[in-house]
């Protein structure tokens, strides 16, 4: 019982950012979907100094600004990243200013940006 009480105290003392991270772990790894605005969020301490951390962007859109000189390499990379067909990938690359991937994590967005820039594209994260 002492372990359960300790666990309950740790959950109650989570910051908003930590509670969001816990929600993501429960959903992704265990298939558990916590109720929206559940007890963890309500019982957490007042935001105070954590407000800025909680507002930090967690989802990014990878925007292809231009294909650069190596358009064929960029099209190949876009196809590999998105799974689009040749025509769809070509249209996306030629349109410019379009999202290659939307609402991805920061690490995935950075990885995609690196691949596209290595292929010669100009990329922006939003």
């Amino acid at each position: 019982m002492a372990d359960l009480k300790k666990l309950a105290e740790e959950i109650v003392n989570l910051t908003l950012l930590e509670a969001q991270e816990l929600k993501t772990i429960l959903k992704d790894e265990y298939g558990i979907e916590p109720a929206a605005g559940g007890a963890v969020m309500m019982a957490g301490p007042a935001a105070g100094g954590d407000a800025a951390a909680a507002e930090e962007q967690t989802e990014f859109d990878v925007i292809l600004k231009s294909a650069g000189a190596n358009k064929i390499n960029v099209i190949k990379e876009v196809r590999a990243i998105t799974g689009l067909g040749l025509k769809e990938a070509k249209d996306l690359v030629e349109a410019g200013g379009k999202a290659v991937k939307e609402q991805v994590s920061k690490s995935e967005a950075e990885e995609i940006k690196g691949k596209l820039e290595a292929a010669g594209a100009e990329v922006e994260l939003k």
Side-chain angles (χ1 to χ4, degrees):
M1 280 308 241
D3 289 340
L4 290 177
K5 183 158 179 77
K6 180 181 174 192
L7 176 62
E9 287 177 13
E10 289 177 9
I11 290 173
V12 169
N13 291 322
L14 290 176
T15 65
L16 292 176
L17 188 59
E18 292 169 332
Q20 181 63 33
E21 201 171 307
L22 176 62
K23 176 186 170 196
T24 303
I25 291 168
L26 289 173
K27 182 180 176 188
D28 294 346
E29 293 184 20
Y30 301 100
I32 299 170
E33 185 84 40
V40 172
M41 297 299 276
M42 287 189 272
D50 296 325
E55 293 176 13
E56 183 177 333
Q57 187 173 355
T58 58
E59 292 184 340
F60 294 84
D61 295 344
V62 181
I63 310 295
L64 179 65
K65 292 181 81 175
S66 73
N70 298 322
K71 187 163 75 171
I72 293 173
N73 290 337
V74 175
I75 292 171
K76 287 179 183 178
E77 203 57 55
V78 167
R79 287 188 69 203
I81 292 167
T82 62
L84 292 173
L86 180 59
K87 181 175 181 349
E88 291 85 3
K90 181 178 180 276
D91 291 344
L92 188 144
V93 170
E94 288 178 344
K98 298 278 185 170
V100 176
K101 279 275 199 169
E102 294 179 328
Q103 298 181 344
V104 296
S105 67
K106 184 174 183 173
S107 61
E108 185 178 354
E110 291 291 339
E111 180 182 335
I112 292 169
K113 181 180 179 187
K115 288 179 181 179
L116 289 170
E117 287 178 341
E122 184 180 337
V123 181
E124 175 182 42
L125 298 181
K126 287 190 175 185

